Amino acid sequence: MVNKNSRIVIALGGNALQADPKDTTAKAQIQTAKDTAKPIVDLIQDGHEVIIAHGNGPQVGQIVATYETATAANKDLPIMPFPECGAMSQGYIGYHLQQAIREEMVQRELKKEVGTVVTQVVVDEKDPGFQNPTKPVGSFFNEEEAKNLEKEMGFVMKEDSGRGYRRVVASPEPVDVVEAPMVRTLVDNGHVVITVGGGGVPVLDRGNGVLEGVPAVIDKDFASEKVAEILDADMLIILTAVEKVAINFGTPEEKELSEITIGEAKKYMEEGHFAPGSMLPKVKAALKFVESKPGRKTLITSLEKAKDAIEGKTGTTIVN
């Protein structure tokens, strides 16, 4: 359970933006955003300061694929750089979320404003992720097309499960959040802020105020943890598709976890209980936040159970 008037960073999972993975229309997303807004505004109504982060995997993939298709049809049309695609996705996802949250707050007569900060996140060009890009983005291509893209565009292309070749980019860890002071000012003045969307636009700090966008994807859970640290949040809430974290998941020995310590979480990770592509980064981010300062907690639960979980009724809490 968290104290009243706490500062909370909420990391929204993909299901909070697209309820039906097959329906990727803007109309479907805005409706899902309206459903997502309700449990978020519950926390705002309870007096908490709320900062919202979110993923952007399907959305940025759509944007990249759209430009790739257009360029394939018209060779004179340049492919949009990946950092710009990430910024576009932050803008339109933020637009949907802030519309939905504002509407819900107005209906409850909460006099607050909500806005999106298109956020840049500093990464280290020596990060091991740049040496071995693994994050697939955009369209599928045949082998000949993939070789041409590698030669002409400098892309790294890899075969994807027998479905063709896709571009892959690095997934470095966040070092700093450029717009964090602005986000802090907004939160300190009572506003609801959407930030580090999709993990933020990855940038390299070239010095003298020069930031250079790089084609990469920052895990949104790690970016959420970083902004929670910087803003001195009391709690990080990672919302996903399940109500509780479990060990031996999907087996007859499956066991849901209500509260675990840092030591227990590390033991479960070493034993391989958490899948690398789903729960593992969430648990890693949770641990990093809890270890960053005494008294901090991370809660992992589903969107629907967020209010109950914050009241200590469900969810998985990781404590120091």
Side-chain angles (χ1 to χ4, degrees):
M1 187 171 180
V2 68
N3 295 329
K4 290 288 185 181
N5 304 316
S6 294
R7 178 167 290 185
I8 300 171
V9 172
I10 300 175
L12 295 175
N15 62 320
L17 297 171
Q18 287 189 341
D20 181 358
K22 294 180 181 179
D23 190 347
T24 59
T25 61
K27 182 179 179 182
Q29 181 170 291
I30 190 65
Q31 182 55 53
T32 304
K34 289 182 178 182
D35 296 333
T36 297
K38 291 179 173 61
I40 292 174
V41 177
D42 285 343
L43 301 181
I44 297 168
Q45 192 168 30
D46 282 347
H48 300 298
E49 294 178 338
V50 174
I51 301 102
I52 300 149
H54 60 80
N56 73 339
Q59 294 86 354
V60 77
Q62 279 182 284
I63 294 169
V64 171
T66 298
Y67 277 104
E68 287 173 341
T69 302
T71 302
N74 180 1
K75 300 297 182 184
D76 294 328
L77 184 68
I79 288 180
M80 182 65 68
F82 191 75
E84 279 76 357
C85 293
M88 288 180 187
S89 72
Q90 279 196 63
Y92 99 76
I93 295 171
Y95 158 64
H96 283 171
L97 284 172
Q98 69 190 45
Q99 268 204 339
I101 292 167
R102 185 178 189 278
E103 181 179 313
E104 187 68 23
M105 289 196 299
V106 168
Q107 288 175 1
R108 301 191 197 187
E109 298 182 349
L110 295 175
K111 298 186 182 302
K112 285 181 176 287
E113 295 298 331
V114 55
T116 300
V117 176
V118 176
T119 314
Q120 302 170 94
V121 175
V122 178
V123 296
D124 184 350
E125 63 182 329
K126 295 180 181 178
D127 189 291
F130 286 110
Q131 306 306 314
N132 181 33
T134 58
K135 193 75 174 178
V137 295
S139 307
F140 289 93
F141 298 90
N142 61 39
E143 187 173 1
E144 182 182 351
E145 291 169 331
K147 287 180 178 178
N148 287 335
L149 285 168
E150 287 182 325
K151 181 180 178 180
E152 295 173 10
M153 303 298 298
F155 291 173
V156 177
M157 306 293 291
K158 290 186 179 180
E159 202 277 330
D160 189 339
S161 307
R163 296 179 294 175
Y165 288 79
R166 294 178 80 187
R167 182 186 180 186
V168 291
V169 297
S171 186
E173 293 195 9
V175 174
D176 198 8
V177 178
V178 178
E179 288 78 17
M182 183 190 306
V183 174
R184 182 190 293 277
T185 298
L186 291 167
V187 175
D188 285 348
N189 283 276
H191 303 301
V192 180
V193 183
I194 301 160
T195 185
V196 293
V201 178
V203 295
L204 300 175
D205 187 348
R206 296 305 191 188
N208 296 319
V210 177
L211 299 172
E212 179 187 342
V214 288
V217 173
I218 301 169
D219 186 285
K220 73 102 172 49
D221 295 316
F222 292 142
S224 302
E225 188 283 326
K226 178 60 69 175
V227 82
E229 267 194 57
I230 295 171
L231 298 180
D232 197 22
D234 300 295
M235 176 177 273
L236 171 65
I237 302 180
I238 299 175
L239 298 180
T240 184
V242 294
E243 186 174 336
K244 291 185 178 183
V245 178
I247 55 174
N248 300 311
F249 184 73
T251 72
E253 291 77 35
E254 180 176 321
K255 177 186 176 184
E256 291 185 331
L257 306 171
S258 295
E259 182 175 285
I260 53 176
T261 64
I262 290 171
E264 289 169 335
K266 289 181 176 179
K267 175 176 175 287
Y268 294 143
M269 284 196 298
E270 289 171 3
E271 293 173 350
H273 284 287
F274 308 129
S278 57
M279 191 55 72
L280 183 60
K282 293 172 175 53
V283 175
K284 282 184 173 180
L287 279 176
K288 194 169 188 301
F289 181 67
V290 171
E291 289 182 308
S292 65
K293 185 178 178 180
R296 287 177 172 169
K297 296 180 180 180
T298 304
L299 175 63
I300 302 176
T301 191
S302 65
L303 175 68
E304 296 77 14
K305 296 294 183 178
K307 191 172 189 299
D308 286 343
I310 210 168
E311 293 173 355
K313 298 175 183 176
T314 188
T316 300
T317 304
I318 300 177
V319 296
N320 192 328

